[in-house]
Amino acid sequence: MIDVVIAGAGPAGSVAALRLARAGASVLVLERARFPRHKLCGDTINPGAVRELELAGVAGCIRPHAIPIAGMRVTGPGGAVVDGCYPSPLSGLSIPREVLDLLLADAARAAGARIEFGARVTGPLVDDRGRVTGVSVLCPSKREPVAVRARLTIAADGRRSSIGMRLGLARHPQRRRWAVGAYFEDVDAMGDTGEMHVRGSAYLGLAPLPGGLTNACFVTSRRSGWRDPEDQLQRAIEREPGIRERFARARRVTPVAVLGPLAVDAPVAGSPGLLLAGDAAGFIDPMTGDGLRFAFAGARLAADAALSALDGGDVVTAWQELTRRRRALFAPKWRFNRTLAALVDHPAGVGMASAGARLAPSIVRRLIAIAGDAA
């Protein structure tokens, strides 16, 4: 029998598979898409996430395909600005998700994990004691789903997890945001920092990418205007004169993509026989750009919990240990992110932050470090 079956070959699934395979576990990863695949994301890896890539031993294969990110620039209504660099010598990275995901999947396969692309997990297999014993998967060569059994299952299949949602372990909260984004060429004045332009409860994120590209992603809680996502993104760019001028020569080079809702509540990190990782394990609106750090670190914790259970531990209660480890590692950042989201939602929030930046720049540097998981 397979030691671990993983649903999803995204960042969390591939990092977990890599760690498990290197430790000698037999691992099967099932991924519904075929790589490389375009993925709507901010495309930035903060310093904390870079540190996780170093722990996984894959930072060296990622860096040649990325560009460094020195910090964050945040603007608010009326021109309020907060600039901050990550603590030296730390930096982030920017890399298209389709490149990052493929590199991580290749690393997992090189370590010995088996990855099946085009295989859609349709749900968990649950025995009469309520224990997850594997997954049901629909493969291209089969007309009906087949059962794949394993000693442990890791659900890393994203915010709409067919496993976590089916078992009632995760749900979308009432406070929701949606994102629309695309890549552009020839955007002016793109430096080596990520940008967040906050306007009310919405924000436009800009990130420089290799090859002179810019990722433009608009995030809002408003539900109107989604029948025309291209217009939604264009209006977000044109709404501010300073940003509109920077896009005067720009040309969109990818289709406009839509993603949402951008939050998942998952109070626990699994159930008997099952561990959750990545977005399937829950995430907060990723305003601080730390989604990948949560994915990488959460995958590391899930793999370690699985290895402990497989090596004489209890595979039935492994999820309880994972829940404790996640809370210990992530709880302070979860509180920080919720506080930051509340500040941004306040009409004068960014303006107050800008005033504080002028009066106490050391506090801003500290906040940038926390947001980048560099503290």
Side-chain angles (χ1 to χ4, degrees), residues 96-295:
R97 273 291 302 273
E98 63 179 331
V99 177
L100 174 67
D101 289 3
L102 182 58
L103 290 171
L104 292 175
D106 285 346
R109 284 191 290 189
R114 177 182 160 202
I115 302 182
E116 296 288 343
F117 293 102
R120 181 170 64 88
V121 172
T122 59
L125 301 176
V126 183
D127 65 17
D128 54 9
R129 293 173 297 175
R131 174 184 166 184
V132 174
T133 60
V135 297
S136 174
V137 58
L138 186 61
C139 301
S141 60
K142 304 290 185 179
R143 291 187 176 183
E144 299 292 334
V146 297
V148 176
R149 301 191 182 277
R151 295 173 66 189
L152 266 173
T153 300
I154 295 179
D157 50 345
R159 61 191 177 81
R160 295 186 183 275
S161 171
S162 61
I163 300 174
M165 293 288 184
R166 181 75 59 84
L167 294 175
L169 300 174
R171 64 179 181 83
H172 296 299
Q174 290 186 336
R175 182 182 179 276
R176 306 181 185 184
R177 297 182 195 264
W178 284 260
V180 56
Y183 289 173
F184 291 81
E185 288 181 333
D186 297 324
V187 177
D188 291 334
M190 290 300 301
D192 61 352
T193 63
E195 301 180 23
M196 192 74 69
H197 303 280
V198 183
R199 303 297 183 266
S201 61
Y203 56 89
L204 176 68
L206 302 179
L209 287 168
L213 295 177
T214 295
N215 179 327
C217 187
F218 178 62
V219 180
T220 179
S221 59
R222 294 192 298 270
R223 300 196 180 191
S224 60
W226 290 106
R227 292 183 178 179
D228 191 346
E230 183 176 339
D231 180 68
Q232 182 90 298
L233 178 60
Q234 194 62 38
R235 285 190 289 111
I237 292 171
E238 294 179 349
R239 190 171 294 129
E240 298 294 325
I243 298 174
R244 182 173 64 244
E245 292 166 2
R246 294 170 59 190
F247 276 78
R249 301 185 305 112
R251 181 173 68 90
R252 181 167 55 82
V253 295
T254 64
V256 173
V258 178
L259 182 67
L262 295 181
V264 172
D265 285 339
V268 295
S271 64
L274 171 70
L275 304 175
L276 302 181
D279 289 350
F283 71 103
I284 302 169
D285 181 2
M287 181 177 297
T288 59
D290 54 8
L292 284 173
R293 186 256 176 167
F294 284 134

Side-chain angles (χ1 to χ4, degrees), residues 4 19-21 23-25 152 275 302-313:
V4 183
R19 194 169 183 87
L20 288 163
L152 266 173
L275 304 175
D304 288 349
L307 290 170
S308 178
L310 293 170
D311 187 25

